[in-house]
Amino acid sequence: MYSIEMAYARMRELQDQANRSRAAQQPATSRARRRLGRAAAKKR
């Protein structure tokens, strides 16, 4: 039997895998710059 919990766990695995592959394609500097820009925007 395939439960909702199993489906949700699989969905989370696929989401994590997609996030990892997306992060690997972007240079670290642009990620840091985006994060800093977002933090600065929140302060205003």
Side-chain angles (χ1 to χ4, degrees):
M1 185 173 148
Y2 196 73
S3 68
I4 294 295
E5 290 81 9
M6 290 169 65
Y8 186 74
R10 179 65 177 143
M11 183 188 74
R12 292 298 306 164
E13 286 174 19
L14 292 171
Q15 189 70 51
D16 291 344
Q17 184 180 350
N19 288 339
R20 279 195 301 273
S21 68
R22 191 180 307 129
Q25 290 172 1
Q26 298 173 350
T29 53
S30 70
R31 281 204 306 273
R33 196 179 307 126
R34 237 196 331 274
R35 222 176 288 132
L36 290 171
R38 215 178 282 141
K42 285 182 181 177
K43 288 180 185 174
R44 280 186 229 145

